[in-house]
Amino acid sequence: MYAPAFIALMVSFDRYAGFIKVFKRQPGSPSRPETQPLLSSSPGTTPKTPHSSTFDLSLARVSLFIEVISYTLMALAPTALAFTAFSMMASMGAGLNPALQSIALALYRRRGGTESGRLFGALSVLQAMSYVILYLLFFNPPPFYSVHP
């Protein structure tokens, strides 16, 4: 009964990956011949972004939309098979975190930042702390719920 839905889901996943591969802007040709090493740090040069961050922003928006829809449908799934199909659909929203990190790096470089390791370290700390706080808020009931008079 749900076999056509699985096939359609897998085909749409292939189309989504193909969409990203086709429409992502490729970095242009270098403006100067490569006479210096790639990692040379000559003073006065700012690192260039290899692609526009508008693609990353649109990818983040689409991924967030897919995740919201799929998690909502997972909560409303009437059968285990439908739940599995919607959880497979949720995997298509996996581009959200890398796209957001790419946008954050582009904004950081635009403001003149050069130490991207510090940025990713700070983002990792914020992400880990938010997981701990959200876990405690949602999955750890307050003590007054567990104590019965």
Side-chain angles (χ1 to χ4, degrees), residues 16 19-20 23-26 49-64 93-107 109-110 120:
Y16 184 65
F19 172 81
I20 291 173
F23 289 104
K24 184 175 181 180
R25 293 186 183 173
Q26 299 297 326
T49 8
H51 63 280
S52 173
S53 58
T54 56
F55 177 79
D56 292 329
L57 183 60
S58 60
L59 179 64
R61 287 177 178 163
V62 169
S63 296
L64 182 63
L96 179 65
N97 198 21
L100 289 177
Q101 287 180 352
S102 177
I103 292 168
L105 182 61
L107 291 173
R109 285 186 177 170
R110 249 186 232 162
F120 288 125

Side-chain angles (χ1 to χ4, degrees), residues 6 19 73 88 93 100 105 110 114 127 129 132 137 144 147:
F6 282 124
F19 172 81
L73 292 174
M88 288 172 58
L100 289 177
L105 182 61
R110 249 186 232 162
T114 56
Q127 186 177 18
M129 291 302 293
V132 168
L137 284 176
F144 56 84
V147 176

